[in-house]
Structures are given as C-alpha cells and as structure tokens.
Amino acid sequence: NILEIYLHMNERSSENGHSEANPLKGLDITGLDDKLISDLMQLKLLQSIIDISPNFLILKDKDLVYREVSKSFCRFLGKQRSQIIGKTDFDLFPEEDAAAYQESDMEALSSNSPIEADWQVYGKKDARWLHIIKNTFRDPDGKPIGVLCSITDIHERKLAEKKIRESNRQLLSIFSGVDEFIYVADFDTYEILYMNEKAIKTFGHFIGKKCYKALQNFNSPCKFCTNHLISKNNLGKTHIWEFQNKVNKHWYRCIDKAILWINNKYVRFEMAVDITDKKNFEKKLLQLSFHDKLTGLYNRAYYQEELNRLKTKRNLPISLIMADVNGLKLVNDAFGHHHGDKLLKLTAEVLKECCRGEDLIARYGGDEFLILLTKTPKSRVMEIINNIKAEAPKKRSANIPLSLSIGFAIKTKLGNIDIDILKDAEENMYKDKMLNFRKSHKEMIEFLTNALYEKGIETIDHHKKVEYYANMLGKAMGLFNYKLEELSLHSKFHDIGKIGIKEKILKRKRKLNPNEWQHVKKHSEIGYRIANSSPILSPISEYILHQHEWWNGSGYPTGLKGKEIPLISRIVAVVDAYDNMISKKPYKNKMSEAMAIKELKKFAGAQFDPNIVKKFINIIRKEDK
C-alpha cells in the first residue's frame, strides 16, 4: 500500500528530526528491491502532484496529525511545511475552529463516501471561504489509516454570490412597490420563491406553493408553464401570453421576463398585469360590432355574415320575415325619441317572444327588423307572423300601441338567395304597410288626440266649438269645399303639438316665466313635424306651424305678418281665441261674450286679421239673435 508506506516513511522522517518533511529526500535506497524502488518513485510523483496542485491538499493520519500538505496550503497559512507536519488543528487554528475541523475529519473517517462542506477559514491575512472535500483512505483490511482533504478557494465566488444576493434583494425591494404582479418561481419545480406586495394582496400568500396551483387552481403545470417555458440555453428571452385567473376570474397578461440564475438554481421571473378592463372593453367592442346597441339584437352586419354561412342545401328552405314599426317618426315627433326608442325595444321583445331560440333576429335598419329561419316550413313561418301581429298591440309606449307591418319570403333553392330573399320580403312588407297605412295612422292620430283630452290639455267641447264657428266663418268668406275640409281638420288638430309639451307647464295657474313660455312656443313646430309624419294631417302641417303668427308680425315661430299668414290659420286663430276667452282655464277665469268680443276688437289689426274679426263678430251676434 503506497499510502501506508508514505505515511510510515513520513512518520520516521519526523521522528528523526529532518528539517524537511519529505520522506524521500536523502533516503538511502541501496539494497531495496525493484518493486519497492518503483513504489517509492510513485510516492515521489505523488509528492510532486501535491506540490503543484492549485487546490490545498492535506493528508492526515488516523490520529488527525498532519502528514503532508501542498505548498499552496502552506502559503495560505503563511507557514513552512515543517511547521505544519506532525501538528494537529489545535496547533494551527483557534480552539473552537480546530474542534469543528476535527469533528469533520472524524465524520470522514467513519464514512464510506466523501463529505463536502464550505468553511470560512482564517489564514495568514484574513478569513477566506474554502470548499473542502474529505475522503478516507483504508488499509487492505478496510481499516481507516488517514484522511485526504482537497480544498478549493471559493472566496471570490462567495463574494460574487453575496453581491448577487444583495443585488437581487435590492431588485426585489424595488419590485415590492410596483403596480404589476411579480413573482419568482423555481424553473424545475414551479415552486413560488418570491411574490411582491401587489401579488400577495391580490392572490394571497403563496410562497412555497406551486404557481399553477396557487394562481390558476390547476393540479398540474398548465400549458403556459410548459409550452412557453424559456430554455435554460436561452437565458433572458421574454414570452408574453394572456390567461384568465381561476381564483379571481380576472384576465392577466403574463410576461415571462427571463430565466435567471439565483442562489445556485434557475428561476423564472414573471410579471403579470391585470387586463380585465381591457378584455371587457374588447368584449364590448365585439358585442357592439355584431349587436344593435339599443335593442341588443344582432345587427345588419351579423345578419349578412350568418346568411352567407347558412345558405347551404341542408338548411333549405330558408325563410326571412321583415317587420317595420308603423308611425315611428310620428311618435318621435310627438313624444320624443325616448318613446320611439321604447317602441323599438318593445318590437325586439315581441320578436324574441314569438320566435324559436335558434332563429336569428336582427335590427336591419332604423325601424326594420329581420328574422332569419332555416329548415322552416311555410306553416311555421305563418304561425310566427300571426303570433307577432297578435302580441304587438299589447305593447304600448306613451299609451300608443305597437303597430308592425310584416312581410316574408321563403326560398327553396340557393341561387342569389342573399339578394332575392331580402328583396321579396321587403316588397311583401311594403304591401302590408300600404294596405294598413291610413288605418294605422288614423289610429295613431286618435291616440294622440285622446292623450290631449286625457291630460286635460284640450277638451272635446273646445274642438267642437272651434270647428263649428270656423266652418261658419269659412262659408261666410266663400271658401271652396276642399278648403272647408282643411279648415275643419285644422280646427281639430291646430294645437296637436301641445302633446309634446310638459303637462305641468300647460296647466300652470300662474303666469309663465320666460323659459317656460319659450318651451310652450315650441308646440307649433312639434305639431308641424307630427302632421308631416301623417298622411292624414300632412295637408294642414303649414297651418299648424303658423297658427300663432300675429297680423303685425310679432307672433311665432317665423314672424309672418298680414296675408303672409295662411288664411286658414288666421281664421282658426280668431275662433280659438274667442272660445278660450269664454271658457274657464286653469290660469284664468272665463269672460262674458261681450268682453270676449271687446278683446277681439282690441287686438284686431295687431294679433288678428281685422277683416276676419269683423266677419266673426257679425256671425256671433246673429247667433245670439
């Protein structure tokens, strides 16, 4: 055993007081056999290896006495080899450190495998970090005969690691206050090693847990952990992906910033940003791109996309129902667009109530709606239309029932179905509208006048009196029959625009303030728009607009004067004023006929046409006789 011989020769050399601890130096080899000489040459080689090794090499016997050391170790301690050989740790180091070193040596002697440790050892100048590997040498019988220590100076590495740790600590302290969610996870195990304050506050304290379990409630690594994992061979690359968190249901954009080497291991540095608002906005945009904002139904673009997708043979027959809201413009003009919008919403409700879940319902235009049906026989199409017509009048806005014109088309062949089916359904819808046009508008006008009566804005008695006196006056002035018909119609609807004025203002007992009066004056224009929206009232729309013009030009809304004011408007102005004066109103008491006539004379030539006032007074006096 070469080591045994080496230790023995080394021990003899020390006992003989050699100044150098080299057992081969000055050794007389006369008479030794070749085998022993070869072994001794190997010992010489071992000594050379020990001397030139950059690591600290130490050889101790079983009693933990130094038997050989490398020159590098001698330089570290600042001692000669002779000052170390034959000594123990207690001769070279402080007692506490020596005890620890020998305890480690004893552990190595009793172990069957090498042991490793990092020690901070005090040398000649200062303490340095050393990495120590200890291995036991045994004789042929397996008994320990010594310990070989290989020591690597890792002081610079330890300092570098300390700097990295300090740098990481400072970096993480910076991350603690940022608004993004940041966490660091072990590359291989996915265990969360660090979370900043924002991440802890949002998700909870999950340090030590698997990231996929903590953040997404998965039992195994998710596709984002595996598919987007950055290779250790490409440190520093960045991946970005989006996912919905299973814990708080929020959407996040995850930025896998880098794979870092921290504390002797690879870690994933990840940053997540809450993009829930962005996702909701995108969802809203998508919703708006294919849906009508007012009714919530699909829009024209979506209908076209779906028709292109559904026009296949297996979906034949394909049917299209078109519905149009009757009198929508009239309602908008009379009551405001909010009531018109309500009619559109009510239409959507009716269509959804009467259709199947798989039927596509879309708002095609302003007041037009489409229902696209696939694999639907004509009997079922007619059933849906009849249900719609039955349910629509039950829906009301401003006490006006919903009225729809409906047409349909059925195609059993593809061809130019996207063009033909819409064209045919639209033509049939317009036929239905024309058949019921006057009827629906007449009903609408009746509802408007009844609304005036119900609110107490006007009375049936007042309209009858105005119509009666106006006809008498018109005949006395020699009007043709068609003009008398217009006069009669205007007598009933001259103040129809008041339906759009707030009831509390019209019924106010005190004198109106300037703002309230400006509001009331708008009824002439409202009435004009209502009349233009109705084929029944359109002939008298100009008369309604100029009903409150004055003879001297100081009236409203356009300031016409004299004969610029339509004759029928001038006639009704006189008659209407007279009946209002002799009738009780919320804001005044009624006058006698004599007082009313006196007022007409007073304002003749200013407010009223003086010629008409004169003729009307003559008619009233004849009536009294």
Side-chain angles (χ1 to χ4, degrees):
N1 188 306
I2 296 176
L3 181 61
E4 188 174 4
I5 295 173
Y6 183 83
L7 290 175
H8 176 69
M9 299 298 289
N10 186 300
E11 184 177 357
R12 284 177 54 195
S13 177
S14 297
E15 290 174 354
N16 294 332
H18 283 277
S19 60
E20 291 293 333
N22 184 349
L24 299 182
K25 185 174 182 181
L27 181 66
D28 184 5
I29 61 174
T30 305
L32 298 179
D33 60 25
D34 293 340
K35 176 67 170 63
L36 184 56
I37 292 174
S38 176
D39 290 342
L40 290 175
M41 293 302 293
Q42 291 186 47
L43 289 174
K44 180 87 174 171
L45 178 61
L46 178 60
Q47 177 68 59
S48 299
I49 293 174
I50 290 174
D51 282 340
I52 67 174
S53 173
N55 289 351
F56 304 160
L57 294 179
I58 301 171
L59 187 60
K60 297 179 182 179
D61 61 22
K62 62 183 178 181
D63 296 322
L64 306 182
V65 176
Y66 284 84
R67 292 305 178 187
E68 188 56 78
V69 293
S70 63
K71 289 183 178 180
S72 58
F73 185 65
C74 294
R75 286 193 296 270
F76 172 67
L77 291 182
K79 295 180 182 295
Q80 298 293 324
R81 181 181 275 114
S82 60
Q83 293 176 298
I84 300 173
I85 301 303
K87 302 292 193 302
T88 67
D89 289 317
F90 286 97
D91 299 320
L92 302 173
F93 301 104
E95 183 177 352
E96 185 178 350
D97 293 342
Y101 301 156
Q102 288 206 351
E103 182 181 352
S104 175
D105 291 340
M106 293 301 295
E107 182 184 352
L109 284 172
S110 61
S111 176
N112 292 322
S113 58
I115 64 170
E116 297 185 44
D118 289 345
W119 292 87
Q120 193 173 29
V121 179
Y122 285 87
K124 178 183 178 181
K125 296 181 180 180
D126 53 12
R128 296 186 72 82
W129 278 99
L130 305 176
H131 180 68
I132 302 175
I133 303 176
K134 296 183 179 183
N135 203 356
T136 304
F137 286 96
R138 301 178 185 276
D139 63 16
D141 295 328
K143 295 180 180 179
I145 60 174
V147 178
L148 177 64
C149 302
S150 176
I151 304 173
T152 305
D153 189 334
I154 59 170
H155 193 68
E156 297 302 325
R157 194 188 79 189
K158 283 287 187 179
L159 292 179
E161 288 178 354
K162 183 179 179 181
K163 288 181 180 178
I164 291 173
R165 284 196 300 272
E166 179 63 21
S167 176
N168 289 339
R169 186 191 67 78
Q170 293 175 356
L171 185 63
L172 295 180
S173 67
I174 293 173
F175 292 150
S176 66
V178 301
D179 199 43
E180 288 77 15
F181 313 100
I182 293 175
Y183 70 94
V184 176
D186 187 282
F187 184 90
D188 297 308
T189 66
Y190 308 108
E191 178 183 327
I192 295 179
L193 306 175
Y194 167 81
M195 299 175 74
N196 71 344
E197 293 179 7
K198 185 67 178 284
I200 293 174
K201 185 177 180 180
T202 303
F203 302 111
H205 195 287
F206 291 134
I207 295 176
K209 297 184 179 181
K210 307 291 186 183
C211 62
Y212 53 80
K213 180 66 176 177
L215 302 179
Q216 294 179 265
N217 200 27
F218 290 156
N219 293 322
S220 59
C222 64
K223 63 180 181 179
F224 302 110
C225 292
T226 55
N227 294 352
H228 298 276
L229 202 60
I230 304 175
S231 170
K232 294 178 184 177
N233 297 323
N234 295 292
L235 301 184
K237 285 189 176 180
T238 298
H239 286 277
I240 300 175
W241 68 92
E242 296 175 358
F243 69 94
Q244 186 174 26
N245 183 270
K246 303 299 181 182
V247 178
N248 59 6
K249 304 301 182 184
H250 281 217
W251 274 94
Y252 295 93
R253 173 176 289 131
C254 189
I255 306 170
D256 200 341
K257 295 294 289 186
I259 298 299
L260 306 176
W261 177 256
I262 298 179
N263 296 339
N264 298 320
K265 66 174 67 177
Y266 286 104
V267 297
R268 299 177 64 186
F269 174 81
E270 297 194 4
M271 179 171 65
V273 181
D274 191 330
I275 57 169
T276 305
D277 292 340
K278 175 179 177 293
K279 280 289 184 181
N280 289 338
F281 183 69
E282 289 175 353
K283 185 178 179 181
K284 186 176 180 180
L285 285 180
L286 183 62
Q287 170 80 7
L288 290 174
S289 66
F290 286 118
H291 288 76
D292 173 56
K293 184 178 180 181
L294 178 65
T295 63
L297 298 178
Y298 290 115
N299 59 17
R300 183 172 185 166
Y302 186 82
Y303 155 77
Q304 193 61 55
E305 288 289 331
E306 281 298 284
L307 179 59
N308 290 335
R309 185 180 67 86
L310 294 172
K311 58 180 183 181
T312 60
K313 288 184 178 180
R314 64 186 180 86
N315 285 321
L316 294 174
I318 295 177
S319 304
L320 185 67
I321 300 174
M322 176 176 276
D324 182 271
V325 181
N326 294 324
L328 180 64
K329 187 175 185 307
L330 194 150
V331 173
N332 285 334
D333 292 335
F335 300 101
H337 283 272
H338 61 286
H339 280 291
D341 289 346
K342 187 176 180 181
L343 278 182
L344 294 172
K345 292 178 183 178
L346 292 175
T347 302
E349 288 180 16
V350 171
L351 299 185
K352 286 189 285 187
E353 290 170 4
C354 298
C355 292
R356 304 166 299 186
E358 65 270 22
D359 297 334
L360 189 153
I361 309 172
R363 184 182 176 193
Y364 191 71
D367 55 1
E368 294 176 336
F369 295 81
L370 297 179
I371 304 171
L372 185 64
L373 310 99
T374 58
K375 295 184 284 189
T376 306
K378 183 178 179 180
S379 59
R380 175 56 182 156
V381 174
M382 295 307 301
E383 181 182 349
I384 292 174
I385 291 174
N386 291 333
N387 289 339
I388 293 172
K389 288 189 172 183
E391 291 299 318
K394 298 177 183 179
K395 307 288 186 179
R396 290 173 175 260
S397 176
N399 206 33
I400 298 176
L402 177 62
S403 174
L404 300 175
S405 296
I406 300 176
F408 72 96
I410 300 176
K411 298 298 177 182
T412 56
K413 296 181 181 180
L414 294 178
N416 295 324
I417 190 171
D418 50 344
I419 298 174
D420 294 342
I421 196 169
L422 180 64
K423 179 174 175 290
D424 292 347
E426 189 173 33
E427 287 180 357
N428 290 328
M429 183 273 292
Y430 278 117
K431 287 178 182 178
D432 184 60
K433 181 179 282 289
M434 294 308 297
L435 287 173
N436 299 287
F437 191 63
R438 294 190 67 82
K439 178 185 176 183
S440 62
H441 276 272
K442 184 179 180 181
E443 291 174 349
M444 191 73 71
I445 295 302
E446 288 178 357
F447 278 108
L448 290 176
T449 53
N450 288 335
L452 284 174
Y453 299 151
E454 289 172 4
K455 291 181 179 181
I457 298 173
E458 297 289 350
T459 65
I460 298 176
D461 184 61
H462 171 69
H463 283 166
K464 286 182 177 180
K465 287 181 179 179
V466 172
E467 183 180 6
Y468 171 75
Y469 284 124
N471 278 330
M472 291 183 65
L473 186 52
K475 290 177 181 178
M477 296 179 67
L479 297 183
F480 295 112
N481 287 337
Y482 80 92
K483 282 294 183 182
L484 290 175
E485 291 177 1
E486 289 181 353
L487 181 60
S488 180
L489 188 63
H490 182 57
S491 299
K492 295 178 182 178
F493 298 103
H494 61 280
D495 276 339
I496 191 67
K498 287 182 179 179
I499 196 72
I501 305 301
K502 294 179 181 178
E503 184 178 344
K504 64 180 181 180
I505 294 179
L506 293 174
K507 289 184 175 182
R508 190 149 287 164
K509 294 182 179 181
R510 62 168 173 77
K511 185 178 180 180
L512 300 180
N513 61 41
N515 288 335
E516 290 170 336
W517 177 236
Q518 289 299 320
H519 185 66
V520 170
K521 288 163 67 174
K522 292 179 181 178
H523 82 274
S524 296
E525 298 172 55
I526 296 172
Y528 173 76
R529 292 197 300 269
I530 291 173
N532 270 334
S533 301
S534 168
I536 298 173
L537 300 183
S538 59
I540 63 169
S541 61
E542 290 291 331
Y543 306 151
I544 293 174
L545 179 64
H546 300 297
Q547 176 59 45
H548 295 279
E549 305 285 3
W550 279 31
W551 182 259
N552 63 5
S554 61
Y556 62 88
T558 60
L560 297 183
K561 63 179 181 179
K563 293 186 178 181
E564 293 175 347
I565 305 169
L567 176 60
I568 289 179
S569 298
R570 285 181 272 149
I571 292 173
V572 173
V574 173
V575 176
D576 181 54
Y578 174 77
D579 190 66
N580 280 328
M581 286 187 284
I582 64 174
S583 302
K584 183 174 175 55
K585 296 290 180 180
Y587 49 86
K588 70 173 188 65
N589 295 322
K590 68 176 183 179
M591 296 181 181
S592 63
E593 290 185 2
M595 286 294 295
I597 290 174
K598 185 177 179 180
E599 284 293 306
L600 288 178
K601 289 180 178 180
K602 178 180 176 181
F603 285 93
Q607 181 176 354
F608 308 116
D609 182 336
N611 184 49
I612 293 177
V613 170
K614 183 177 180 180
K615 290 182 180 294
F616 181 62
I617 292 174
N618 290 334
I619 290 173
I620 292 173
R621 286 174 174 168
K622 288 180 181 179
E623 283 282 308
D624 291 339
K625 294 180 180 180

